[in-house]
């Protein structure tokens, strides 16, 4: 306090304004109070529980690492290589009893007669087919043992164990499912333990909170509107057929209001990512969530050899072939002979018909035009004449 009075007297002697004197005096008083205050106590020594919490936080931050991995261009094949980082995947071999070898002509895109039905298939690394349960018809809780990579599909699969029968099976893993989680199928109805929690009065909201969880399989009539689902079935007692690739899902948008007294005959409308609206049976199955491996479309193979490892053969352009191999083949230079884009079998591109482009089939189909309009028919074709 004495120092603040001395500072104010010196300012008055030097003829400073009263406002400046008061400001400096307040600052001096605050400085004295701060210097006379005791120092703050040291932080307490961290306990064992807080250290465990810090380790868990560090693990969470570590789990949020970038999902894409780029490489130094040490080789030409690594310059454009972008791979996915999935540290939660199982690093061992699959469950052997649920697999069988993929071999024979089916690996090369051929049917039972040996004819190629799917082009650009063949070769690749040896692989085993995982038998995935797309139907999910067995009731009861299942514990997730691990999340595995499946070379036969873009999405990941989960190895689950039934809690009562201890039977193991593979299911499509939704995004965010991890080892230790519990999933359940409600295709055969609500189990007794869920009914006991609901009480004598049926509550749709309580049913939703007890059944609609990530990875659970339900009939579509039990799923609330606006829910994202995948592995969607089309008929009752059938397996899921829609939205099974990586990162795909459908949205439940409406239900039929007719025949509400009986369950059979109702339909549910779902919207796919392409914008297509599908009307499927209300008894069909669907799994809650989004299909796993959502960043699959962001990867880059980096070189042609990696495609061959995956069993993908080269795709040759039609204009690079001979005339006997493709309608666009032959000729001098890069020319397809003034022909609309067609398949190797002469089928026009459906995208051109959708855009309204004239094709050979639409140009010469139904050409019965009256000659009074100044046109004449010649060998089945209509030509415009001069009048």
């Amino acid at each position: 306090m004495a120092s603040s009075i001395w500072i104010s007297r010196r300012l008055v002697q030097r003829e400073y304004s009263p406002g400046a004197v008061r400001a400096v005096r307040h600052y001096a008083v605050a400085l004295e109070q701060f210097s006379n205050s005791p120092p703050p106590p040291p932080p307490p020594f961290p306990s064992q529980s807080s250290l465990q919490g810090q380790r868990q936080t560090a693990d969470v931050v570590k789990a949020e690492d970038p999902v894409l991995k780029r490489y130094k261009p040490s080789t030409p094949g690594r310059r454009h290589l972008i791979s996915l980082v999935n540290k939660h995947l199982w690093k061992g071999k699959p469950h052997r009893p649920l697999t069988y070898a993929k071999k024979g002509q089916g690996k090369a895109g051929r049917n039972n007669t040996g004819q190629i039905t799917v082009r650009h298939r063949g070769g690749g690394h040896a692989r085993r087919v995982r038998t995935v349960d797309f139907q999910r018809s067995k009731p009861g809780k299942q514990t997730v043992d691990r999340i595995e990579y499946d070379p036969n599909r873009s999405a990941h699969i989960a190895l689950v164990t039934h809690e009562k029968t201890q039977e193991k099976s593979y299911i499509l893993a939704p995004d965010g499912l991890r080892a230790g989680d519990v999933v359940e199928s409600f295709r055969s109805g609500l189990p007794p333990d869920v009914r006991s929690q609901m009480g004598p009065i049926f509550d749709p909201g309580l049913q939703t909170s007890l059944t609609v969880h990530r990875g659970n399989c339900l009939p579509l009539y039990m799923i609330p509107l606006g829910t994202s689902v995948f592995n969607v079935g089309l008929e009752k007692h059938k397996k899921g057929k829609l939205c099974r690739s990586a990162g795909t899902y459908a949205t439940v948008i409406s239900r039929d209001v007719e025949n509400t007294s009986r369950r059979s005959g109702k339909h549910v409308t779902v919207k796919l990512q392409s914008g297509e609206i599908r009307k499927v049976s209300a008894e069909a199955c669907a799994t809650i969530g989004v299909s796993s491996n959502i960043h699959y479309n962001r990867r880059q193979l980096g070189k042609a050899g990696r495609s061959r490892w995956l069993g993908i053969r080269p795709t040759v352009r039609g204009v690079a072939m001979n005339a006997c191999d493709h309608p666009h083949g032959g000729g001098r230079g890069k020319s397809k002979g003034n022909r609309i884009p067609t398949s190797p079998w002469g089928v026009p591109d459906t995208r051109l018909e959708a855009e309204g482009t004239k094709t050979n089939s639409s140009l010469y189909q139904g050409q019965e035009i009256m000659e009074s309009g100044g046109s004449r028919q010649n060998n089945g074709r209509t030509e415009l004449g001069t009048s």
Side-chain angles (χ1 to χ4, degrees):
M1 189 67 181
S3 61
S4 62
I5 296 175
W6 180 82
I7 292 175
S8 61
R9 288 178 179 176
R10 294 282 302 203
L11 294 176
V12 170
Q13 293 176 1
R14 295 189 179 186
E15 299 181 354
Y16 281 93
S17 63
V21 174
R22 287 194 299 270
V24 174
R25 187 173 182 178
H26 289 318
Y27 175 75
V29 171
L31 188 62
E32 286 180 358
Q33 293 178 356
F34 178 77
S35 59
N36 296 331
S37 61
F45 187 77
S47 60
Q48 190 69 18
S49 60
S50 62
L51 289 176
Q52 292 178 359
Q54 292 178 4
R55 293 194 191 100
Q56 292 177 0
T57 306
D59 293 341
V60 172
V61 173
K62 188 177 181 180
E64 294 177 354
D65 290 341
V67 296
L68 300 179
K69 181 179 180 181
R70 292 176 171 84
Y71 300 84
K72 293 183 179 180
S74 56
T75 60
R78 285 204 166 204
R79 179 175 297 275
H80 302 289
L81 175 62
I82 299 178
S83 60
L84 302 179
V85 178
N86 294 307
K87 298 182 180 180
H88 62 280
L89 293 182
W90 173 252
K91 296 179 177 58
K93 294 184 178 181
H95 188 60
R96 186 80 176 190
L98 296 177
T99 63
Y100 62 92
K102 183 177 183 180
K103 59 183 180 180
Q105 59 189 16
K107 193 175 180 180
R110 301 175 185 269
N111 60 2
N112 58 345
T113 62
Q115 296 178 345
I116 296 178
T117 56
V118 181
R119 299 193 304 162
H120 316 136
R121 296 287 182 90
H125 195 278
R127 61 180 68 175
R128 299 186 68 85
V129 178
R130 280 74 166 169
T131 56
V132 181
D133 182 15
F134 296 108
Q135 196 163 357
R136 303 282 301 274
S137 59
K138 297 181 180 179
K141 294 184 178 181
Q142 295 174 317
T143 305
V144 179
D145 295 337
R146 61 203 186 201
I147 309 296
E148 296 185 8
Y149 164 78
D150 190 353
N152 305 289
R153 67 191 73 255
S154 56
H156 297 152
I157 57 177
L159 181 65
V160 296
T161 303
H162 200 280
E163 292 186 355
K164 291 185 178 180
T165 62
Q166 298 299 318
E167 182 182 359
K168 294 184 179 295
S169 61
Y170 278 122
I171 63 171
L172 281 182
D175 183 46
L177 191 70
R178 294 295 182 268
D181 296 346
V182 178
V183 296
E184 192 171 357
S185 176
F186 298 96
R187 294 199 66 177
S188 58
L190 296 177
D193 56 344
V194 176
R195 289 184 179 274
S196 61
Q197 296 182 30
M198 295 179 61
I201 302 177
F202 176 75
D203 187 358
L206 183 57
Q207 173 188 329
T208 300
S209 63
L210 294 175
T211 58
V212 180
H213 297 287
R214 181 194 292 121
N216 287 356
C217 183
L218 290 85
L220 282 171
Y221 70 86
M222 293 178 58
I223 300 177
L225 302 183
T227 306
S228 298
V229 295
F230 71 101
N231 190 29
V232 182
L234 300 177
E235 300 176 4
K236 183 180 179 180
H237 303 309
K238 299 291 184 179
K239 65 179 182 179
K241 296 183 179 180
L242 302 179
C243 305
R244 304 196 317 195
S245 299
T248 57
Y249 65 93
T251 306
V252 182
I253 58 177
S254 67
R255 298 193 192 95
D256 284 354
V257 296
E258 301 177 357
N259 301 329
T260 55
S261 59
R262 57 192 182 92
R263 186 177 300 173
S264 61
K266 293 196 301 182
H267 293 83
V268 174
T269 305
V270 296
K271 183 178 181 180
L272 307 182
Q273 288 176 292
S274 61
E276 181 182 354
I277 305 297
R278 296 293 296 265
K279 194 174 184 179
V280 299
S281 174
E283 300 283 347
C285 66
T287 307
I288 306 299
V290 181
S291 184
S292 55
N293 201 11
I294 58 177
H295 299 287
Y296 177 79
N297 60 343
R298 300 175 60 184
R299 65 169 190 165
Q300 291 185 13
L301 299 182
K303 61 180 181 180
R306 198 173 299 272
S307 295
R308 302 306 298 264
W309 298 343
L310 299 176
I312 303 174
R313 300 187 68 241
T315 302
V316 182
R317 296 171 294 118
V319 293
M321 299 182 185
N322 295 326
C324 61
D325 299 323
H326 201 279
H328 299 167
R332 303 279 184 175
K334 300 179 180 180
S335 174
K336 56 185 177 60
N338 195 21
R339 185 186 177 109
I340 61 172
T342 59
S343 69
W345 305 275
V347 180
D349 193 352
T350 56
R351 291 174 296 181
L352 297 179
E353 295 182 357
E355 296 174 359
T357 307
K358 292 183 179 180
T359 59
N360 291 342
S361 59
S362 63
L363 188 60
Y364 303 117
Q365 185 177 6
Q367 297 286 348
E368 296 181 359
I369 304 176
M370 298 179 63
E371 295 183 1
S372 59
S375 61
R376 63 180 183 272
Q377 294 185 358
N378 184 12
N379 295 331
R381 295 187 179 183
T382 302
E383 301 177 359
L384 297 179
T386 57
S387 58

